[in-house]
Amino acid sequence: MTSGTPILFDRAALRARRARAAGNFAAHDFLYREIADRLADRLDDVVRQFPVALDLGTRGGLLAEVLGRRGGIETLVRMDLAPGFVSPGPGVVGDEEFLPFAAASFDLVFSVLGLHWVNDLPGALLQINRALRPDGLFVGAFFGGATLMELSDALRRAESEIEGALSPRTAPLADLRDAAGLMQRAGFALPVVDCETVTVTYADPFALMRDLRGMAETNVGAARRRSFSRRATLFRAAEIYMAEHAGPDGRIPATFDVITVMGWHPAANQQQPARRGSANARLADALDAIEHSTGEKPGSH
Amino acid sequence: MAEPSVDPKLLEILVCPLTKGPLTYDRAAQELISPRARLAYPIRDGIPIMLIDEARALDDDGVAASTSAG
């Protein structure tokens, strides 16, 4: 992390929450498992083999389970902030903001739900790119966009009603356009980004909050309030959440926007975008349409 | 009982998270030493703890000892 990067997230708090979650993660791992599964599927379309791979934010090694024999991975190095999630190895305790790996160490780097609490996302992506070998692949997924908008809205309104004050309740998140720009800035070739919304339903907002704690995904925003919320505020927030969002079955939805990013470490033999003006067929012909000139020519402005 | 050992393949690719410089492995102390950062990263149960705020700061002696050994 470079100096001058604003501190948005409290990494020490995140580490403590991960350590606490490690003991009972199996009871709260379905969302992680679902996203890991979707990321692993991305390898189905890739012909290249990846003998040495890295699993960032490994949470006990579910990814290895989900991957099976895909990608030709022979060694999967695991890293997490919490020791309880790393063993059995090979693995290290490490921080995405300060990756402890030499340049060109890996053919493939995965990050499943590990980058939304990173202060310096451009720096973390640069370090990931640096750890990749030429033509190595990075596949990552993190929460972004409107993740947990129902909860943050209910908490905000309850707090303002009951305490007459506001504190930052949910984390600042990246959106799809940020992600695309960041991948490019980090020097990835052929970057692809997309966003999928996963809606999870819960019996009530307290079940959601328990699950967030179990996943170590409660707010670690540096500007969050440190004192406990008043019971009255939490109950009011739950009431608002139910009133606004409960379905006919009484269950409540929680939105998770999952941003997926993919990019390659540049290599000479990679597929390159075609040179501008090198096409030898007309788009209008392909579309069977009549072409109307706009009067502009390439390079005329 | 012997300490669980660190995977040798892992040792080859680990660098100091702060400087990205090389590390020397102190088997007796179960530490990975970054001479440039003057930090010693602990190895617990065979797992290197590559966190800057978990590392032991080295005094001048520590640095001298690690460079003469490595």
Side-chain angles (χ1 to χ4, degrees):
Chain A
M1 210 174 89
T2 51
S3 59
T5 303
I7 299 296
L8 300 172
F9 304 117
D10 182 345
R11 299 289 290 178
L14 178 63
R15 186 163 18 129
R17 283 169 201 197
R18 283 271 181 89
R20 213 176 317 146
N24 194 31
F25 188 63
H28 302 279
D29 69 0
F30 75 94
L31 194 54
Y32 179 91
R33 195 181 279 273
E34 172 69 29
I35 307 302
D37 209 33
R38 293 183 187 195
L39 281 199
D41 285 349
R42 305 274 172 140
L43 292 190
D44 292 342
D45 309 329
V46 179
V47 180
R48 189 190 184 308
Q49 302 284 289
F50 304 97
V52 185
L54 171 65
D55 175 13
L56 289 173
T58 178
R59 318 283 210 302
L62 277 174
L63 180 66
E65 228 177 85
V66 165
L67 276 169
R69 303 169 61 92
R70 281 183 278 192
I73 296 167
E74 290 157 20
T75 305
L76 182 65
V77 175
R78 293 164 46 195
M79 187 186 101
D80 203 282
L81 275 169
F85 273 140
V86 174
S87 65
V92 296
V93 172
D95 188 329
E96 282 88 351
E97 294 187 349
F98 296 94
L99 278 191
F101 302 106
S105 292
F106 300 103
D107 302 295
L108 175 61
V109 176
F110 279 103
S111 167
V112 186
L113 301 180
L115 291 174
H116 46 280
W117 299 122
V118 163
N119 285 297
D120 180 12
L121 192 50
L125 292 174
L126 267 172
Q127 292 183 60
I128 289 169
N129 197 354
R130 187 177 171 278
L132 283 170
R133 295 174 178 160
D135 206 31
L137 176 64
F138 170 54
V139 188
F142 49 89
F143 291 132
T147 294
L148 293 175
M149 59 176 179
E150 303 91 349
L151 179 64
S152 59
D153 180 56
L155 283 168
R156 201 164 33 232
R157 284 168 51 191
E159 198 171 58
S160 126
E161 270 178 38
I162 296 198
E163 304 180 33
L166 284 177
S167 61
R169 281 304 188 154
T170 43
L173 293 170
D175 65 21
L176 199 56
R177 211 171 343 149
D178 300 336
L182 289 173
M183 287 295 285
Q184 235 148 20
R185 266 175 69 192
F188 285 103
L190 310 167
V192 177
V193 301
D194 53 75
C195 182
E196 282 180 283
T197 300
V198 179
T199 306
V200 185
T201 65
Y202 289 92
D204 59 64
F206 295 105
L208 164 63
M209 288 186 237
R210 272 196 301 279
D211 217 28
L212 291 174
R213 269 197 300 280
M215 292 191 277
E217 294 295 346
T218 48
N219 185 13
V220 291
R224 73 192 187 281
R225 77 187 233 176
R226 307 300 168 106
S227 56
F228 285 105
S229 299
R230 286 195 217 164
R231 281 181 78 82
T233 308
L234 285 182
F235 278 99
R236 180 65 191 132
E239 266 175 26
I240 294 172
Y241 202 136
M242 300 289 284
E244 297 271 318
H245 301 288
D249 57 354
R251 292 175 69 82
I252 52 137
T255 298
F256 294 89
D257 279 347
V258 181
I259 295 181
T260 303
V261 298
M262 264 177 96
W264 298 82
H265 190 97
N269 57 353
Q270 253 158 11
Q271 162 196 352
Q272 305 287 334
R275 198 166 39 79
R276 284 190 63 159
S278 63
N280 49 26
R282 289 152 51 101
L283 180 62
D285 293 343
L287 297 173
D288 202 14
I290 299 163
E291 197 172 33
H292 299 283
S293 173
T294 62
E296 286 181 40
K297 295 267 182 274
S300 66
H301 49 267
Chain B
M1 210 180 91
E3 283 281 329
S5 57
V6 186
D7 189 295
K9 264 197 250 170
L10 187 58
L11 281 182
E12 275 172 34
I13 57 172
L14 283 181
V15 295
C16 172
L18 191 62
T19 64
K20 305 282 194 257
L23 298 164
T24 50
Y25 178 31
D26 184 337
R27 194 179 296 270
Q30 284 294 298
E31 284 181 333
L32 291 167
I33 291 158
S34 169
R36 216 185 299 166
R38 296 186 162 207
L39 290 172
Y41 298 92
I43 299 170
R44 298 187 191 127
D45 303 322
I47 298 172
I49 313 292
M50 306 307 293
L51 299 172
I52 292 153
D53 52 3
E54 295 271 315
R56 183 170 68 86
L58 295 175
D59 51 23
D60 290 339
D61 288 351
V63 172
S66 70
T67 42
S68 65

